[in-house]
Amino acid sequence: MAHLLYLVRHGEQLDAEHGVEDGRLSGRGVRQAHAIAQRLSGVHFDHAWTSPLQRATETAEIMQERLPAVTFERSALLLDCIPSGLEPGTPVGFHRFLQSVRPAESEAGAAQMQDAAGQWLRPSRGDVNELLITHNFVISWFVREVMQSPSWQWMALNQANCGLTIIRRRTGKPPQLVAHNDLGHLPPEDRTGMPMPQPY
């Protein structure tokens, strides 16, 4: 019996490089969404969720065209967030970015991800496949949680747009990272969106 969690970062957002916080997908983002949908078309999903932000919901809508049996539910637990703040032991290279984050923002992000882990990183009875369309930092936090790494470790992980990460949970056993940022379904010219969390 296994609980498989499929995590997908949304497709490339149009004008994200110009500081636009949210918006529709670029042409390449649309192609990425079609490609990941094709990749997952043979999987039966018992549940599916998406972040409420436009770039994620549009990715989900495109994927649903090829996965007609899947109904996406929006969840605020999948919103883009800062999962932790500056803590003792955080590498110096990450200090500048975290010092720019308000404590209230990182505290809210940490609480959000604690609730998200409680909902999705849990064993289940029977074989269950769940699909989540979300954001870079959220997926990084899930991976960090599975690996039981220090809180700051999410900053050292990045996912490409429509990259695929798979986590397995089994009763009585620790979670397992089956795949991380798999891009085999994307041609090289469509592999985008792996930003560093802070400038160097």
Side-chain angles (χ1 to χ4, degrees):
M1 301 294 182
H3 172 187
L4 290 176
L5 187 65
Y6 292 74
L7 297 154
V8 174
R9 186 183 178 191
H10 59 82
E12 180 186 60
Q13 179 190 327
L14 185 67
D15 293 332
E17 70 275 16
H18 300 302
V20 178
E21 291 188 4
D22 191 27
R24 62 190 180 91
L25 300 183
S26 67
R28 183 157 51 184
V30 170
R31 295 196 303 272
Q32 292 165 344
H34 281 293
I36 186 62
Q38 172 65 29
R39 171 75 179 273
L40 297 177
S41 61
V43 180
H44 167 75
F45 288 106
D46 300 281
H47 307 286
W49 287 269
T50 179
S51 159
L53 294 180
Q54 183 179 355
R55 58 191 186 272
T57 59
E58 186 176 344
T59 301
E61 288 166 2
I62 292 169
M63 294 180 68
Q64 197 165 30
E65 295 172 7
R66 188 171 287 274
L67 305 170
V70 174
T71 300
F72 284 92
E73 179 180 345
R74 297 186 184 193
S75 174
L77 295 179
L78 298 176
L79 283 166
D80 205 4
C81 70
I82 304 296
S84 69
L86 185 61
E87 300 174 354
T90 302
V92 173
F94 297 137
H95 284 199
R96 179 188 294 180
F97 174 78
L98 290 175
Q99 286 169 345
S100 70
V101 177
R102 294 179 293 105
E105 182 180 0
S106 60
E107 289 169 8
Q112 173 187 323
M113 292 314 302
Q114 182 177 2
D115 289 345
Q119 175 160 343
W120 289 296
L121 288 183
R122 69 197 187 290
S124 62
R125 296 180 180 178
D127 294 323
V128 177
N129 293 323
E130 297 184 293
L131 173 60
L132 275 58
I133 311 301
T134 184
H135 304 276
N136 187 28
F137 291 168
V138 173
I139 297 173
S140 294
W141 181 263
F142 273 108
V143 173
R144 184 222 64 82
E145 187 76 8
V146 168
M147 303 305 292
Q148 290 297 291
S149 300
S151 295
W152 57 263
Q153 189 70 54
W154 64 271
M155 298 191 67
L157 298 165
N158 280 291
Q159 285 67 225
N161 294 113
C162 287
L164 175 62
T165 294
I166 305 174
I167 294 169
R168 177 187 288 130
R169 282 299 301 265
R170 292 172 288 179
T171 302
K173 296 183 179 181
Q176 177 185 11
L177 185 62
V178 178
H180 177 244
N181 197 35
D182 186 343
L183 305 180
H185 50 284
L186 294 173
E189 62 271 19
D190 285 342
R191 297 178 183 180
T192 61
M194 293 175 57
M196 297 303 294
Q198 83 287 342
Y200 284 98

